[in-house]
């Protein structure tokens, strides 16, 4: 997931990521501040910090830390589901002039373990093969966790669909019984009316 969005100083913005359990999440970000004189975003925002908060599907805080204007954060999920990742600047400017526009570039990678190419090149070929093999095995584990999570979601969706279909069936049966009862009652009422008026 790579994106950018605008955020006001001291404003909090959150994104929701659906993450499998036991998965490493790494986020890289960069904040730019709007310059009213240049009418453009500056390449850096010195002195500005970003407060990152990550909440699990159960509401437990997995990460709550203040970072600089550019940095990397990471956390590992222990439950599958929707994780809420929130960002808020720690502007120290006066409230009167705080609230200017910020642009935040964000790149979130789920389940990826990055290879340190410089470290690999420093080792011999056998170590290189071992490192790359370990990386591949980790990627296989991640794909397996993703598949298990998708199966869980599919199972929940199937159960919900079956329950909904069952409820619709019972509701249709109840409606049919009510209509039949009303029809019988109307026929009986008309019959009694005609008999009382001696029309039959």
């Amino acid at each position: 997931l790579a994106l950018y969005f605008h955020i006001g100083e001291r404003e909090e913005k959150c994104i929701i990521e659906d993450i499998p359990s036991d998965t490493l999440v790494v986020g890289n970000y960069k904040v730019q501040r709007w310059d009213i004189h240049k009418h453009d975003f500056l390449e850096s925002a010195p002195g500005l910090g970003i407060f990152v908060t990550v909440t699990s599907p159960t509401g437990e805080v997995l990460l709550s830390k203040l970072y600089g204007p550019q940095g990397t954060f990471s956390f590992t999920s222990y439950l599958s589901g929707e994780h809420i990742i929130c960002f808020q600047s720690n502007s120290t400017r006066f409230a009167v002039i705080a609230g200017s526009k910020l642009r935040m570039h964000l790149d979130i990678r789920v389940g990826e373990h990055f290879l340190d190419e410089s470290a690999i090149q420093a080792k011999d070929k056998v170590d290189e093969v071992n490192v790359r093999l370990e990386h591949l095995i980790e990627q296989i584990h991640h794909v397996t966790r993703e598949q298990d999570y998708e199966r869980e979601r599919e199972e929940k969706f199937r159960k919900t669909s079956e329950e909904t279909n069952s409820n619709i069936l019972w509701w249709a049966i109840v409606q049919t019984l009510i209509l039949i009862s009303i029809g019988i009652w109307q026929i009986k009422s008309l019959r009694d009316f005609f008999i009382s008026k001696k029309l039959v």
Side-chain angles (χ1 to χ4, degrees), residues 25-37:
V25 179
V26 178
N28 294 300
Y29 72 90
K30 180 177 74 171
V31 180
Q32 297 172 301
R33 179 181 276 146
W34 176 257
D35 188 296
I36 57 174
H37 302 295

Side-chain angles (χ1 to χ4, degrees), residues 180-200:
I180 291 172
S181 302
I182 291 174
I184 293 172
W185 176 78
Q186 285 180 332
I187 292 171
K188 185 178 181 303
S189 297
L190 285 172
R191 184 173 170 273
D192 292 343
F193 173 77
F194 289 142
I195 290 173
S196 66
K197 296 294 182 179
K198 297 181 180 178
L199 297 173
V200 291

Side-chain angles (χ1 to χ4, degrees), residues 1-5 13-20 23-30 50 52-55 63 71-77 81-87 104-114 142 146:
L1 173 67
L3 56 97
Y4 79 86
F5 52 87
K13 279 211 175 176
C14 301
I15 62 171
I16 297 175
E17 274 290 312
D18 209 348
I19 304 170
T23 301
L24 175 67
V25 179
V26 178
N28 294 300
Y29 72 90
K30 180 177 74 171
I50 294 294
V52 182
T53 306
V54 179
T55 309
L63 175 67
T72 300
F73 63 90
S74 64
F75 65 93
T76 301
S77 63
E82 294 182 342
H83 290 67
I84 302 173
I85 307 171
C86 296
F87 306 92
M104 186 161 187
H105 299 264
L106 181 63
D107 181 19
I108 294 180
R109 299 177 185 247
V110 178
E112 290 198 15
H113 293 267
F114 304 106
H142 172 65
E146 285 276 358

Side-chain angles (χ1 to χ4, degrees), residues 100-147:
S100 67
K101 195 162 52 173
L102 302 172
R103 177 187 283 171
M104 186 161 187
H105 299 264
L106 181 63
D107 181 19
I108 294 180
R109 299 177 185 247
V110 178
E112 290 198 15
H113 293 267
F114 304 106
L115 286 172
D116 185 352
E117 294 293 338
S118 60
I120 292 175
Q121 290 173 1
K123 297 182 178 183
D124 59 22
K125 292 295 180 183
V126 175
D127 288 340
E128 179 181 347
V129 171
N130 285 336
V131 171
R132 290 191 182 276
L133 186 60
E134 288 173 6
H135 179 71
L136 184 60
I137 290 171
E138 180 59 38
Q139 290 296 324
I140 291 171
H141 287 321
H142 172 65
V143 170
T144 304
R145 287 194 296 267
E146 285 276 358
Q147 289 176 337

